Amino acid sequence: MEGWLGGGYEWVKSFHLIAVIFWMAGMFMLPRYFAYHTEVAKGSDEDRIWQEREHRLLRIIVNPSMIVTWVLGLSLALHIGFSSGGWLHLKLLLVIGLTIVHVMFAKWRKAFVRGENTRSSKFYRMVNEIPTLATIPIVILVIVKPF
C-alpha cells in the first residue's frame, strides 16, 4: 500500500499492533491489581507495595503503549483515509471509550494513593471485563470490516 507512509505501512501497522497488545495487557492487569489492592489494610506496607505496582504498570507500560497506539493508529487512519468505511468510525469510537476507561483507571489509582478508594474487589473484577468487551468488536471491525 502506497500513500503518505510509503513502503512503511506494514511496519507502522506491525508496531501499532504491538502497542495495542501492550496497552490491552496493562488494561487487563490494572483492575485486577485494584481488586487485590482493596483486600489489604490502608497504610500498610502491602498497601504501599500495591500502589507502587500500579504506578509502575501505568507509567512504564499502559501510558506509553496507549500513546504509541494512538499515534500509529491515527497515522494508519490517515493513510487509508477516514472515509474508508463505517467500521473505522466505530473502531475509533470504541478506542476513545477505552481511552476514557484508561483515564478512569489512572484516577482510581490516585484514590488508592490518597487512601480514598471506596470501591469493592467485586467492582474491580467486573470493571476488568470492559477492555475485553471493547477489544472483541474492535478486532472484528478491523479484520472483517463489516461496513
Side-chain angles (χ1 to χ4, degrees):
M1 283 186 110
E2 288 301 316
W4 80 276
L5 290 176
Y9 175 81
E10 299 299 331
W11 285 102
V12 172
K13 191 172 168 183
S14 297
F15 285 110
H16 173 68
L17 182 57
I18 292 165
V20 168
I21 290 168
F22 280 98
W23 185 28
M24 289 303 98
M27 293 288 283
F28 296 144
M29 287 176 64
L30 197 54
R32 185 60 59 171
Y33 277 15
F34 293 158
Y36 299 143
H37 193 166
T38 61
E39 298 169 359
V40 304
K42 291 179 185 177
S44 66
D45 287 343
E46 198 172 355
D47 177 45
R48 285 185 284 284
I49 290 168
W50 278 112
Q51 288 178 33
E52 183 61 25
R53 284 179 185 144
E54 294 155 0
H55 175 72
R56 286 182 179 191
L57 180 59
L58 266 169
R59 189 189 67 206
I60 297 170
I61 297 173
V62 184
N63 291 341
S65 58
M66 181 199 65
I67 292 166
V68 172
T69 294
W70 268 104
V71 168
L72 298 180
L74 289 173
S75 297
L76 292 168
L78 285 170
H79 180 77
I80 65 171
F82 282 97
S83 61
S84 41
W87 69 269
L88 179 59
H89 300 132
L90 183 54
K91 178 199 173 199
L92 285 170
L93 185 64
L94 289 167
V95 174
I96 289 167
L98 273 173
T99 303
I100 292 168
V101 171
H102 176 133
V103 170
M104 292 304 300
F105 288 176
K107 181 180 172 188
W108 294 340
R109 186 198 71 77
K110 289 178 182 176
F112 276 106
V113 170
R114 293 187 309 268
E116 298 172 358
N117 174 58
T118 58
R119 293 171 179 86
S120 68
S121 176
K122 183 178 179 178
F123 171 83
Y124 290 117
R125 290 174 200 275
M126 290 173 56
V127 166
N128 191 220
E129 303 307 321
I130 294 172
T132 302
L133 294 173
T135 300
I136 292 168
I138 289 170
V139 170
I140 291 169
L141 287 166
V142 171
I143 302 297
V144 178
K145 295 178 179 70
F147 50 90

Coordinates of all heavy atoms in Angstrom, one line a residue, residues 5-49:
L5 N 2.6 7.0 3.9 CA 3.5 6.2 4.7 C 4.5 5.4 3.8 O 5.4 4.9 4.3 CB 2.7 5.2 5.5 CG 2.0 5.7 6.7 CD1 1.2 4.6 7.4 CD2 2.9 6.4 7.7
G6 N 4.2 5.4 2.5 CA 5.0 4.7 1.5 C 5.1 3.3 1.9 O 4.2 2.6 2.3
G7 N 6.3 2.7 1.7 CA 6.5 1.3 2.0 C 6.6 1.0 3.4 O 6.7 -0.2 3.8
G8 N 6.4 2.0 4.3 CA 6.5 1.7 5.7 C 5.1 1.4 6.3 O 5.1 1.1 7.5
Y9 N 4.1 1.3 5.5 CA 2.7 1.0 6.0 C 2.7 -0.3 6.9 O 2.2 -0.3 8.0 CB 1.7 0.9 4.9 CG 0.4 0.5 5.3 CD1 -0.5 1.4 5.8 CD2 -0.1 -0.9 5.2 CE1 -1.8 1.0 6.3 CE2 -1.3 -1.3 5.6 CZ -2.2 -0.3 6.2 OH -3.4 -0.7 6.6
E10 N 3.3 -1.4 6.4 CA 3.3 -2.7 7.1 C 4.0 -2.6 8.4 O 3.7 -3.2 9.4 CB 3.8 -3.8 6.2 CG 3.0 -4.1 5.0 CD 1.6 -4.5 5.2 OE1 1.3 -5.1 6.3 OE2 0.7 -4.2 4.4
W11 N 5.1 -1.8 8.4 CA 5.9 -1.6 9.7 C 5.1 -0.8 10.7 O 5.0 -1.2 11.9 CB 7.2 -0.9 9.4 CG 8.2 -1.8 8.7 CD1 8.6 -1.8 7.4 CD2 9.0 -2.8 9.4 NE1 9.5 -2.8 7.2 CE2 9.8 -3.4 8.4 CE3 9.1 -3.2 10.7 CZ2 10.7 -4.4 8.7 CZ3 10.0 -4.2 11.0 CH2 10.8 -4.8 10.1
V12 N 4.4 0.2 10.2 CA 3.6 1.1 11.1 C 2.5 0.2 11.7 O 2.2 0.2 12.9 CB 3.1 2.3 10.4 CG1 2.1 3.1 11.3 CG2 4.2 3.2 10.0
K13 N 1.9 -0.6 10.8 CA 0.8 -1.5 11.2 C 1.3 -2.5 12.3 O 0.6 -2.8 13.3 CB 0.2 -2.2 10.0 CG -1.1 -2.9 10.2 CD -1.6 -3.3 8.8 CE -2.7 -4.3 8.9 NZ -3.1 -4.8 7.5
S14 N 2.4 -3.0 12.0 CA 3.0 -4.0 13.0 C 3.3 -3.4 14.3 O 2.9 -4.0 15.4 CB 4.3 -4.6 12.4 OG 4.1 -5.3 11.2
F15 N 3.9 -2.2 14.4 CA 4.2 -1.6 15.6 C 2.9 -1.1 16.3 O 2.9 -1.1 17.6 CB 5.3 -0.5 15.5 CG 6.6 -1.1 15.3 CD1 7.3 -1.0 14.1 CD2 7.3 -1.7 16.3 CE1 8.6 -1.5 13.9 CE2 8.5 -2.3 16.2 CZ 9.2 -2.2 14.9
H16 N 1.9 -0.7 15.5 CA 0.6 -0.4 16.1 C 0.0 -1.6 16.8 O -0.4 -1.4 18.0 CB -0.3 0.1 15.0 CG -1.7 0.4 15.5 ND1 -2.1 1.4 16.3 CD2 -2.9 -0.3 15.2 CE1 -3.4 1.3 16.5 NE2 -3.9 0.3 15.9
L17 N 0.1 -2.7 16.2 CA -0.5 -3.9 16.8 C 0.3 -4.3 18.1 O -0.3 -4.7 19.1 CB -0.5 -5.1 15.8 CG -1.1 -6.4 16.4 CD1 -2.5 -6.2 16.9 CD2 -1.1 -7.4 15.3
I18 N 1.6 -4.2 18.1 CA 2.4 -4.5 19.2 C 2.0 -3.5 20.4 O 1.9 -4.0 21.5 CB 3.9 -4.4 18.9 CG1 4.3 -5.5 18.0 CG2 4.8 -4.3 20.2 CD1 5.7 -5.3 17.3
A19 N 1.9 -2.2 20.1 CA 1.5 -1.3 21.1 C 0.1 -1.6 21.7 O -0.1 -1.5 22.9 CB 1.5 0.1 20.5
V20 N -0.8 -2.0 20.8 CA -2.2 -2.4 21.3 C -2.1 -3.5 22.2 O -2.7 -3.5 23.3 CB -3.1 -2.7 20.1 CG1 -4.4 -3.3 20.5 CG2 -3.4 -1.4 19.2
I21 N -1.3 -4.5 21.9 CA -1.1 -5.7 22.7 C -0.6 -5.3 24.1 O -1.2 -5.7 25.2 CB -0.2 -6.8 22.1 CG1 -0.9 -7.4 20.9 CG2 0.2 -7.9 23.1 CD1 0.0 -8.2 20.0
F22 N 0.4 -4.5 24.2 CA 0.9 -4.0 25.5 C -0.1 -3.2 26.2 O -0.3 -3.3 27.4 CB 2.2 -3.2 25.3 CG 3.4 -4.0 25.1 CD1 3.9 -4.3 23.8 CD2 4.1 -4.6 26.1 CE1 5.0 -5.0 23.6 CE2 5.2 -5.4 26.0 CZ 5.7 -5.6 24.7
W23 N -0.8 -2.3 25.5 CA -1.8 -1.5 26.2 C -2.9 -2.3 26.8 O -3.3 -2.2 27.9 CB -2.4 -0.5 25.2 CG -3.4 0.5 25.7 CD1 -3.5 1.0 27.0 CD2 -4.4 1.2 25.0 NE1 -4.5 1.9 27.1 CE2 -5.1 2.0 25.9 CE3 -4.9 1.1 23.7 CZ2 -6.2 2.8 25.6 CZ3 -5.9 1.9 23.3 CH2 -6.6 2.8 24.2
M24 N -3.4 -3.3 26.0 CA -4.5 -4.1 26.5 C -4.0 -5.0 27.6 O -4.8 -5.3 28.6 CB -5.1 -5.0 25.3 CG -5.9 -4.1 24.4 SD -7.3 -3.2 25.2 CE -6.6 -1.6 25.3
A25 N -2.8 -5.5 27.5 CA -2.3 -6.3 28.6 C -2.3 -5.5 29.9 O -2.8 -6.0 31.0 CB -0.8 -6.8 28.3
G26 N -1.9 -4.3 29.9 CA -1.9 -3.4 31.1 C -3.3 -3.1 31.5 O -3.6 -3.1 32.7
M27 N -4.2 -2.9 30.5 CA -5.6 -2.6 30.9 C -6.3 -3.8 31.5 O -7.3 -3.7 32.3 CB -6.4 -2.2 29.6 CG -5.9 -0.8 29.1 SD -6.4 0.6 30.1 CE -8.1 0.7 29.6
F28 N -5.9 -5.0 31.1 CA -6.4 -6.3 31.8 C -5.9 -6.4 33.2 O -6.5 -6.9 34.1 CB -6.1 -7.5 30.9 CG -6.8 -7.5 29.6 CD1 -6.1 -8.1 28.5 CD2 -8.0 -7.0 29.3 CE1 -6.7 -8.1 27.2 CE2 -8.6 -7.0 28.1 CZ -7.9 -7.6 27.0
M29 N -4.6 -6.0 33.4 CA -3.9 -6.2 34.7 C -4.3 -5.2 35.7 O -4.5 -5.6 36.9 CB -2.4 -6.2 34.5 CG -1.8 -7.4 33.8 SD 0.0 -7.2 33.5 CE 0.6 -7.1 35.2
L30 N -4.5 -4.0 35.3 CA -4.7 -2.9 36.3 C -5.9 -3.1 37.2 O -5.8 -3.0 38.4 CB -4.6 -1.5 35.6 CG -4.4 -0.4 36.6 CD1 -3.1 -0.5 37.4 CD2 -4.3 0.9 35.7
P31 N -7.1 -3.4 36.6 CA -8.2 -3.5 37.5 C -8.1 -4.8 38.4 O -8.6 -4.8 39.5 CB -9.4 -3.6 36.6 CG -8.9 -3.8 35.2 CD -7.5 -3.3 35.2
R32 N -7.4 -5.8 37.9 CA -7.1 -7.0 38.7 C -6.2 -6.6 39.9 O -6.4 -7.0 41.0 CB -6.4 -8.1 37.9 CG -6.2 -9.4 38.6 CD -7.5 -10.0 39.1 NE -8.4 -10.3 38.0 CZ -9.5 -11.0 38.2 NH1 -9.8 -11.5 39.3 NH2 -10.4 -11.2 37.2
Y33 N -5.2 -5.8 39.7 CA -4.4 -5.2 40.7 C -5.3 -4.5 41.8 O -5.1 -4.7 43.0 CB -3.3 -4.2 40.2 CG -2.1 -4.8 39.6 CD1 -1.9 -6.2 39.3 CD2 -1.0 -4.0 39.4 CE1 -0.8 -6.7 38.8 CE2 0.2 -4.5 38.9 CZ 0.3 -5.9 38.6 OH 1.5 -6.4 38.1
F34 N -6.2 -3.7 41.3 CA -7.1 -2.9 42.2 C -7.9 -3.9 43.0 O -8.1 -3.6 44.2 CB -8.0 -2.0 41.4 CG -7.4 -0.9 40.7 CD1 -8.0 -0.3 39.6 CD2 -6.1 -0.4 41.0 CE1 -7.4 0.8 38.9 CE2 -5.5 0.7 40.3 CZ -6.2 1.3 39.3
A35 N -8.4 -5.0 42.4 CA -9.2 -5.9 43.1 C -8.4 -6.5 44.3 O -8.9 -6.7 45.4 CB -9.7 -7.1 42.2
Y36 N -7.1 -6.9 44.0 CA -6.3 -7.4 45.1 C -5.9 -6.3 46.1 O -5.8 -6.6 47.3 CB -5.0 -8.0 44.5 CG -5.2 -9.1 43.6 CD1 -4.4 -9.3 42.5 CD2 -6.2 -10.1 43.8 CE1 -4.6 -10.3 41.6 CE2 -6.4 -11.1 42.9 CZ -5.6 -11.3 41.8 OH -5.8 -12.3 40.9
H37 N -5.7 -5.1 45.6 CA -5.3 -4.0 46.5 C -6.4 -3.7 47.5 O -6.1 -3.3 48.7 CB -5.0 -2.8 45.6 CG -4.4 -1.6 46.3 ND1 -3.8 -0.6 45.7 CD2 -4.2 -1.3 47.6 CE1 -3.3 0.3 46.5 NE2 -3.5 -0.2 47.7
T38 N -7.7 -3.8 47.1 CA -8.8 -3.5 48.1 C -8.8 -4.4 49.3 O -9.4 -4.1 50.3 CB -10.2 -3.6 47.4 OG1 -10.3 -5.0 46.9 CG2 -10.3 -2.7 46.2
E39 N -8.1 -5.5 49.2 CA -8.1 -6.5 50.2 C -7.0 -6.4 51.3 O -6.9 -7.2 52.2 CB -8.1 -7.9 49.6 CG -9.3 -8.2 48.7 CD -9.2 -9.5 47.9 OE1 -8.1 -10.1 47.9 OE2 -10.1 -9.7 47.1
V40 N -6.2 -5.3 51.1 CA -5.1 -5.0 52.1 C -5.5 -3.8 52.9 O -6.3 -3.0 52.5 CB -3.8 -4.8 51.4 CG1 -3.4 -6.1 50.5 CG2 -3.7 -3.6 50.6
A41 N -4.9 -3.7 54.1 CA -5.2 -2.6 55.0 C -4.6 -1.3 54.5 O -3.4 -1.3 54.0 CB -4.6 -2.9 56.4
K42 N -5.4 -0.2 54.5 CA -4.9 1.1 54.1 C -3.7 1.5 55.0 O -3.7 1.3 56.2 CB -6.0 2.1 54.2 CG -7.1 2.0 53.2 CD -8.2 3.0 53.4 CE -9.3 2.7 52.5 NZ -10.4 3.7 52.7
G43 N -2.7 2.0 54.3 CA -1.5 2.5 55.1 C -0.5 1.4 55.4 O 0.6 1.7 55.9
S44 N -0.8 0.2 55.1 CA 0.1 -0.9 55.4 C 1.3 -1.0 54.4 O 1.2 -0.3 53.3 CB -0.6 -2.3 55.4 OG -1.1 -2.6 54.1
D45 N 2.3 -1.8 54.7 CA 3.4 -1.9 53.8 C 2.9 -2.6 52.5 O 3.3 -2.2 51.4 CB 4.5 -2.9 54.4 CG 5.3 -2.2 55.5 OD1 5.3 -0.9 55.5 OD2 6.0 -2.9 56.2
E46 N 1.9 -3.5 52.6 CA 1.4 -4.1 51.4 C 0.6 -3.1 50.6 O 0.7 -3.2 49.3 CB 0.5 -5.3 51.8 CG 0.2 -6.3 50.7 CD -0.5 -7.5 51.1 OE1 -0.7 -7.7 52.3 OE2 -0.9 -8.3 50.2
D47 N -0.1 -2.2 51.2 CA -0.8 -1.1 50.5 C 0.2 -0.3 49.7 O 0.0 0.0 48.5 CB -1.5 -0.2 51.5 CG -2.2 1.0 50.9 OD1 -2.9 0.8 49.9 OD2 -2.1 2.1 51.5
R48 N 1.3 0.0 50.3 CA 2.3 0.8 49.6 C 2.9 0.0 48.4 O 3.2 0.6 47.3 CB 3.4 1.3 50.5 CG 2.9 2.5 51.4 CD 4.0 3.0 52.3 NE 4.3 2.2 53.4 CZ 3.6 2.1 54.5 NH1 2.4 2.8 54.6 NH2 3.9 1.3 55.5
I49 N 3.1 -1.3 48.6 CA 3.6 -2.1 47.5 C 2.7 -2.2 46.3 O 3.1 -2.0 45.2 CB 3.9 -3.6 48.0 CG1 5.1 -3.5 49.0 CG2 4.2 -4.5 46.9 CD1 5.3 -4.8 49.8

